[in-house]
Amino acid sequence: MKIIILGAGQVGGTLAEHLAREENDITVVDTDGAKLRELHTKLDIRTVTGAGSYPIVLRQAGCEDADMLIAVTNTDEINMIACQVAHTLFRTPTKIARVRSTAYLTRKGLFAHEAIPIDVLISPEQVVTDHVRRLIEHPGALQVLEFAGGLVQLVAVKAFYGGPLVGQDLAFLGKHMPNVETRVAAIYRRNRPIIPRGDTVIEADDEVFFLAARRDIRAVMSELRKVERDFRRVVIAGGGNIGERLAEHLEHSHQVKIIEHSLERCTTLSERLDRTVVLHGSATSKRLLEEENIEDCDIFCALTNDDEVNIMSSLLAKRLGAKKVLTLINNAAYVDLVQGGDIDIAISPQQATIGSLLTHVRRGDIVNVHSLRRGAAEAIEAIAHGDKQSSKVVGRTIAEIDLPEGTTIGAIVRGKEVLIAHGDVRVESGDHVILFVIDKRRIRDVERLFQVGLTFF
């Protein structure tokens, strides 16, 4: 595909890296020449220096024959105008834009073909808020992803010494929990992937990715680690868009406090939120955290725009007795450094956002893509179409499908029914197939599996 990315920031740069690896024709546009040079030395891509909303710059970038425009600059207005120009002058088929401001997002009919022609809207704050909310709803999980409208969840947990399944092979899981259908999609041991088989033994500290129907998630998690009680008391550092949205969602079911350093923002938050306690001060203040009884807090969420503040406030909260800390980190290089020590969960907003962008870049009928392990792996939800003659999956059992190396099918959703993958399950047209791809180089092969041959037409 020929794809133009506007914005060489963290999301644009990470996306260019993902897509360039998959042999797409990528052009990145930005006003910052230094950022573009840095990207160009790392990746096999074209770069154009200039304002992404200018017609002449879009023409230079090759918008006339581009398949897709992805506008992820830091300015909503530039992203929106660029999509309008690409539509009006160049008839670009697919236009994706990042829009942050709720003032735009809450206006119905604004982003329509006859108004501002954006095909896909990405709101990073909403994506990250949903990501954090799911982790709070599943204490003990490192990552929680939803498929088929939430019917199936993929959960990553760290297996703890003393858990019932630690030291047992995966075949034991079925015998031990005969009434719960689940499938281990992948295991990461010392940061190396292991393709799970029946005789694979789970070890303490393994990162285990498993798929199950939403109703069974808790039961499976309890087998891999000590059951953690539900989080009730939540402290949020940072009252920006993400902090506010998270508080809004949790305040009627949890005890929520927000720490915000801007007095003006505190006033706004106290007017907008119903039950949340809004505190004016610094999240890195030991005195403030002690006064607010941080030792009684179930989870401390550091969600400011400053990585250093997030890391230091999380470490301080943990030292003072917070049971769990969750930290938002923009610099992807820091994520692996801090997670797993005093910081329980580190979240990269770019990786959370990349998944929703990749969904629209994948070929075949792909309805969901989640980036895992900082982009090393992907979980994909694809819809099977056609018949046995035109499709490589329809009419075949899972055992008969020629899956690319490092790929496993975890579950199939048929209507409202969740079928955990076993070798004898036969794929039907219209099924939602959930796959786990350990080797990103195999993505194209997975896409080809779900593309319908010409005989179907």
Side-chain angles (χ1 to χ4, degrees), residues 2-21:
K2 186 170 183 182
I3 301 169
I4 298 171
I5 299 172
L6 306 183
Q10 286 173 323
V11 171
T14 310
L15 186 62
E17 210 169 318
H18 274 265
L19 298 177
R21 271 191 234 144

Side-chain angles (χ1 to χ4, degrees), residues 55-71:
I56 191 165
V57 174
L58 287 175
R59 189 183 294 279
Q60 272 180 286
C63 210
E64 287 165 313
D65 59 347
D67 299 301
M68 184 179 289
L69 176 82
I70 303 175

Side-chain angles (χ1 to χ4, degrees), residues 178-307:
N179 301 320
V180 175
E181 281 277 299
T182 185
R183 172 76 185 251
V184 174
I187 295 171
Y188 279 83
R189 183 171 297 158
R190 293 179 283 280
N191 286 325
R192 292 175 67 88
I194 294 170
I195 302 271
R197 295 184 176 82
D199 58 356
T200 304
V201 175
I202 295 173
E203 295 180 6
D205 288 336
D206 280 356
E207 199 174 316
V208 182
F209 286 83
F210 67 87
L211 273 162
R214 180 197 274 270
R215 63 179 180 274
D216 295 329
I217 289 293
R218 279 292 176 89
V220 183
M221 281 179 70
S222 67
E223 295 300 309
L224 292 164
R225 51 180 299 126
K226 300 185 291 291
V227 179
E228 295 187 22
R229 63 188 178 85
D230 286 347
F231 296 141
R232 280 281 157 255
R233 297 180 184 86
V234 181
V235 175
I236 299 168
N241 285 336
I242 297 172
E244 182 188 351
R245 288 180 193 194
L246 185 63
E248 205 172 4
H249 186 89
L250 297 175
E251 64 179 355
H252 296 286
S253 53
H254 297 72
Q255 292 175 27
V256 183
K257 293 178 181 178
I258 285 187
I259 301 170
E260 169 56 46
H261 69 88
S262 160
L263 186 57
E264 190 183 346
R265 182 66 180 159
C266 283
T267 308
T268 307
L269 289 169
S270 59
E271 288 167 359
R272 288 184 185 169
L273 298 167
D274 299 329
R275 297 185 181 179
T276 301
V277 176
V278 181
L279 304 165
H280 176 234
S282 168
T284 55
S285 164
K286 185 181 177 188
R287 183 181 57 77
L288 176 61
L289 293 179
E290 285 176 334
E291 279 175 5
E292 294 305 323
N293 302 316
I294 195 71
E295 71 276 7
D296 296 332
C297 157
D298 293 319
I299 185 161
F300 177 88
C301 304
L303 306 174
T304 77
N305 290 326
D306 188 314
D307 285 356

Side-chain angles (χ1 to χ4, degrees), residues 325-344:
V325 295
L326 178 151
T327 312
L328 192 68
I329 299 178
N330 285 292
N331 187 334
Y334 290 177
V335 176
D336 288 325
L337 288 176
V338 300
Q339 180 164 288
D342 284 343
I343 291 174
D344 300 291

Side-chain angles (χ1 to χ4, degrees), residues 276-457:
T276 301
V277 176
V278 181
L279 304 165
H280 176 234
S282 168
T284 55
S285 164
K286 185 181 177 188
R287 183 181 57 77
L288 176 61
L289 293 179
E290 285 176 334
E291 279 175 5
E292 294 305 323
N293 302 316
I294 195 71
E295 71 276 7
D296 296 332
C297 157
D298 293 319
I299 185 161
F300 177 88
C301 304
L303 306 174
T304 77
N305 290 326
D306 188 314
D307 285 356
E308 282 71 21
V309 169
N310 288 344
I311 292 168
M312 297 315 292
S313 63
S314 297
L315 293 173
L316 183 60
K318 195 65 183 275
R319 188 72 48 90
L320 294 173
K323 292 168 188 66
K324 271 273 164 78
V325 295
L326 178 151
T327 312
L328 192 68
I329 299 178
N330 285 292
N331 187 334
Y334 290 177
V335 176
D336 288 325
L337 288 176
V338 300
Q339 180 164 288
D342 284 343
I343 291 174
D344 300 291
I345 303 166
I347 292 177
S348 160
Q350 298 92 286
Q351 288 302 338
T353 309
I354 290 298
S356 45
L357 286 166
L358 290 175
T359 303
H360 306 287
V361 177
R362 297 275 169 256
R363 295 181 178 89
D365 195 352
I366 308 285
V367 289
N368 236 323
V369 175
H370 290 291
S371 184
L372 307 163
R373 299 281 312 174
R374 265 69 74 199
E378 266 184 30
I380 295 173
E381 177 184 344
I383 303 177
H385 293 291
D387 54 27
K388 198 161 185 180
Q389 278 68 48
S390 61
S391 166
K392 292 174 183 169
V393 294
V394 174
R396 291 166 176 78
T397 63
I398 288 172
E400 291 169 346
I401 296 170
D402 185 18
L403 288 171
E405 196 180 334
T407 303
T408 52
I409 292 177
I412 287 170
V413 180
R414 188 171 294 157
K416 296 283 181 194
E417 188 187 4
V418 177
L419 306 169
I420 294 300
H422 297 294
D424 58 350
V425 174
R426 196 172 293 278
V427 180
E428 294 178 7
S429 185
D431 282 356
H432 287 238
V433 182
I434 296 150
L435 305 103
F436 196 100
V437 187
I438 280 172
D439 185 351
K440 286 286 296 288
R441 290 170 301 181
R442 302 289 183 181
I443 293 289
R444 282 283 171 262
D445 299 332
V446 174
E447 289 173 357
R448 285 187 201 104
L449 271 182
F450 288 88
Q451 286 175 326
V452 178
L454 289 174
T455 52
F456 182 46
F457 303 100

